[in-house]
Amino acid sequence: MHVGFFSGDITRSGGTENVSVMIANRLVAHDGYEVSFVSLFEERPEPFFAINSKIRRFALYPTAVHGIRHYADTCRRLRNVIRAHRIDVLVDIDGILDMYSLPIRRGTGVKVISWEHFNYHQNPDAPYRKITRRWAARSADAIVTLTQADKKLYEEHLRIRRRIYAIPNPMRVPPTGGDYDLDSRMIVSAGRLTYQKGFDLLIDVASEVLPAHPDWQWVVLGDGEDREALERKTIDEGLEGRLIFRGRVTDMDEYYRHASMFVLTSRFEGLPMVLLEAKAHRIPIIGFDCETGPSDIVTDGVNGYLIPCFDTERMSMSVEELITNPRKRSDMASHALDDAERFDMDTIIRSWIQVLNEVTQ
């Protein structure tokens, strides 16, 4: 079976690309599966996340292409790739890509799986996600959500004519272990610097907490279109040198290993990979209890705190509590891996293989 993962740009450093590469790398190791990545375009010659050498990559365009005006041409190019390389199943790793894949089911015989990485209520970057979700409900061979809660939202709001599954993102096992660093004075956050991730709210929290703790530092990993505005706000709040935007880093594990806690200020999520990475490194987590994801990973009061959206005052108090209470941090770290088996890669890849087999029967 030849499985193609359809991406906007698989060379990007986002959570969607991360989990897609993880699944593809594991799938290609199974007998009977050929795997490829098909991107609209690739802005970088090498992907941010290491892709197995057995996996081929195809780009529909040589340079960045955006907008609906290329719609017909994009469908034609995608159809040609599917036919030329005999792709049996196309997994759209962003639901908005259904607009290109669903029309070419007829004439190619390709099966289409719509993989929801946000949640039913969110339409970032493109309001016509609402249209593609309804279209997928009618025409996709399967829909995969990241949480049971989101699966239920789909079932409540749409007439699903095909199969729908809830498969969480896998939790990557860190390359090296180690004990929780109780002496750490570093708070870590990570994600693409966009409105969705709420780093403007993070600055509000940091401005309440950091001035009282001059020996502590807050590091944000990731890049994005809002970086300049966020760095300007950081300076305006007098946090220069205390709240640091590191940009893209190749070794996030190094930061996780030496973090005292992880803070998530997202306005919405699907199932955030950064929280699974923090969990894997046994770091206490504080996050807004946004729809959906954080509550699937964090047990409030046990291995972290879930904060009502978007109560920056409450979040500031929780961060302050963990700063001043190392015993509490240590206790939360000891419970970080509670119920981690739900995110085991072997379990998750078996679920994906079941989906692939059922849509091709």
Side-chain angles (χ1 to χ4, degrees), residues 295-351:
S295 62
D296 285 69
I297 299 170
V298 180
T299 302
D300 187 42
V302 176
N303 50 22
Y305 289 119
L306 294 172
I307 309 300
C309 300
F310 298 97
D311 190 339
T312 56
E313 182 179 353
R314 178 82 169 270
M315 178 169 279
S316 299
M317 292 171 60
S318 296
V319 173
E320 174 76 21
E321 179 184 352
L322 290 193
I323 285 177
T324 58
N325 192 339
R327 179 176 294 181
K328 186 68 173 178
R329 294 202 307 274
S330 178
D331 185 54
M332 286 186 165
S334 70
H335 288 283
L337 296 182
D338 290 359
D339 74 4
E341 65 277 0
R342 296 169 50 221
F343 308 106
D344 175 71
M345 173 59 93
D346 290 337
T347 301
I348 288 167
I349 203 66
R350 283 196 297 270
S351 296

Side-chain angles (χ1 to χ4, degrees), residues 1-17:
M1 182 189 303
H2 189 175
V3 181
F5 289 83
F6 187 23
S7 166
D9 177 5
I10 199 57
T11 67
R12 289 177 55 181
S13 61
T16 299
E17 290 73 29

Side-chain angles (χ1 to χ4, degrees), residues 188-335:
V188 171
S189 298
R192 188 162 175 79
L193 305 185
T194 62
Y195 173 82
Q196 174 198 347
K197 301 299 183 180
F199 289 114
D200 53 324
L201 303 174
L202 183 149
I203 296 173
D204 294 338
V205 174
S207 67
E208 292 294 323
V209 174
L210 290 180
H213 302 280
D215 55 336
W216 281 70
Q217 189 178 70
W218 199 325
V219 177
V220 177
L221 310 175
D223 212 340
E225 55 265 36
D226 290 351
R227 181 170 182 174
E228 183 178 344
L230 292 168
E231 289 181 330
R232 189 164 54 246
K233 182 175 179 178
T234 298
I235 294 172
D236 292 343
E237 293 290 342
L239 296 175
E240 192 173 10
R242 306 289 313 287
L243 176 59
I244 301 170
F245 289 85
R246 284 271 186 249
R248 285 162 51 107
V249 298
T250 56
D251 189 7
M252 290 182 64
D253 290 309
E254 181 66 20
Y255 288 90
Y256 285 124
R257 281 194 295 269
H258 299 293
S260 64
M261 69 187 84
F262 188 95
V263 176
L264 181 93
T265 52
S266 294
R267 289 180 166 90
F268 58 90
E269 283 288 351
L271 185 70
M273 283 298 294
V274 290
L275 289 195
L276 289 173
E277 290 168 349
K279 185 181 183 73
H281 283 84
R282 295 181 289 175
I283 307 169
I285 295 169
I286 301 175
F288 286 137
D289 190 15
C290 61
E291 184 189 55
T292 54
S295 62
D296 285 69
I297 299 170
V298 180
T299 302
D300 187 42
V302 176
N303 50 22
Y305 289 119
L306 294 172
I307 309 300
C309 300
F310 298 97
D311 190 339
T312 56
E313 182 179 353
R314 178 82 169 270
M315 178 169 279
S316 299
M317 292 171 60
S318 296
V319 173
E320 174 76 21
E321 179 184 352
L322 290 193
I323 285 177
T324 58
N325 192 339
R327 179 176 294 181
K328 186 68 173 178
R329 294 202 307 274
S330 178
D331 185 54
M332 286 186 165
S334 70
H335 288 283

Side-chain angles (χ1 to χ4, degrees), residues 1-2 78-79 82-83 86-90 101-113 139 141 162 359-361:
M1 182 189 303
H2 189 175
L78 180 60
R79 181 184 293 109
I82 288 171
R83 285 175 171 169
R86 298 181 178 179
I87 294 175
D88 301 298
V89 181
L90 195 65
S101 60
L102 291 176
I104 64 171
R105 288 176 68 248
R106 181 177 298 177
T108 64
V110 70
K111 305 296 184 180
V112 175
I113 298 174
S139 302
D141 295 279
R162 305 295 178 97
V359 299
T360 54
Q361 285 177 354

Side-chain angles (χ1 to χ4, degrees), residues 119-184:
N119 65 63
Y120 177 82
H121 286 138
Q122 301 301 331
N123 306 291
D125 304 324
Y128 45 88
R129 285 180 189 276
K130 294 180 180 180
I131 299 173
T132 57
R133 286 190 179 110
R134 289 197 295 270
W135 195 355
R138 295 194 307 270
S139 302
D141 295 279
I143 296 172
V144 174
T145 65
L146 298 180
T147 65
Q148 289 290 342
D150 200 36
K151 178 175 180 286
K152 185 176 180 180
L153 288 173
Y154 265 81
E155 292 170 334
E156 288 176 348
H157 292 88
L158 297 173
R159 295 184 63 184
I160 310 293
R161 296 186 180 179
R162 305 295 178 97
R163 305 171 181 91
I164 182 166
Y165 307 81
I167 306 176
N169 288 334
M171 188 173 72
R172 180 177 61 88
V173 178
T176 57
D179 296 329
Y180 172 68
D181 187 356
L182 191 57
D183 296 324
S184 170

